[in-house]
Amino acid sequence: MYFRFTLFNSLTLLVMAASAAMVWIRLRTSIEKTWPLAYYLILIAYSEAFPGSLSRYAVFLGVVCGLLLRFEFMGGLVLKAVRVAEFGVFAYVLVRGTQLLLMLPW
């Protein structure tokens, strides 16, 4: 088994690298940064370019979580729940990207 360097595989690796970078950014910097919104724009473009690659519900949940965190008007337990949901979306993108690259069944 070998890795074929195609456009789909390279873009999947790019989205996975962006997801890993977003985890690092979310853990290290404040939550009011604008970079996550650019990440979600990339994620939406990827999911529209390759239909069926990512769940639309997961992408939508990530966009909503990113917007809620960007325009921070909540705190306490609600803030932590939204952050956990966003990290769940990051984990989903990383796992699904690995499945797509290795051609594993869903």
Side-chain angles (χ1 to χ4, degrees), residues 10-88:
S10 59
L11 290 178
T12 302
L13 282 174
L14 176 72
V15 167
M16 289 175 65
S19 297
M22 283 310 306
V23 169
W24 186 80
I25 287 172
R26 283 294 195 201
L27 290 175
R28 299 288 179 195
T29 63
S30 68
I31 60 174
E32 293 92 16
K33 299 290 183 188
T34 309
W35 286 110
L37 300 179
Y39 164 76
Y40 287 118
L41 189 65
I42 292 170
L43 197 62
I44 289 170
Y46 175 80
S47 66
E48 289 297 318
F50 303 109
S53 59
L54 296 175
S55 170
R56 291 180 187 259
Y57 297 115
V59 174
F60 179 70
L61 176 67
V63 170
V64 169
C65 289
L67 288 173
L68 286 174
L69 290 174
R70 172 63 177 98
F71 301 111
E72 177 186 2
F73 57 88
M74 61 200 151
L77 186 62
V78 176
L79 178 66
K80 289 180 183 178
V82 171
R83 289 189 74 170
V84 166
E86 187 180 38
F87 281 114

Side-chain angles (χ1 to χ4, degrees), residues 12 16 93-104:
T12 302
M16 289 175 65
V93 170
L94 290 172
V95 168
R96 184 65 181 142
T98 304
Q99 288 176 340
L100 290 171
L101 287 176
L102 299 177
M103 292 184 275
L104 296 174

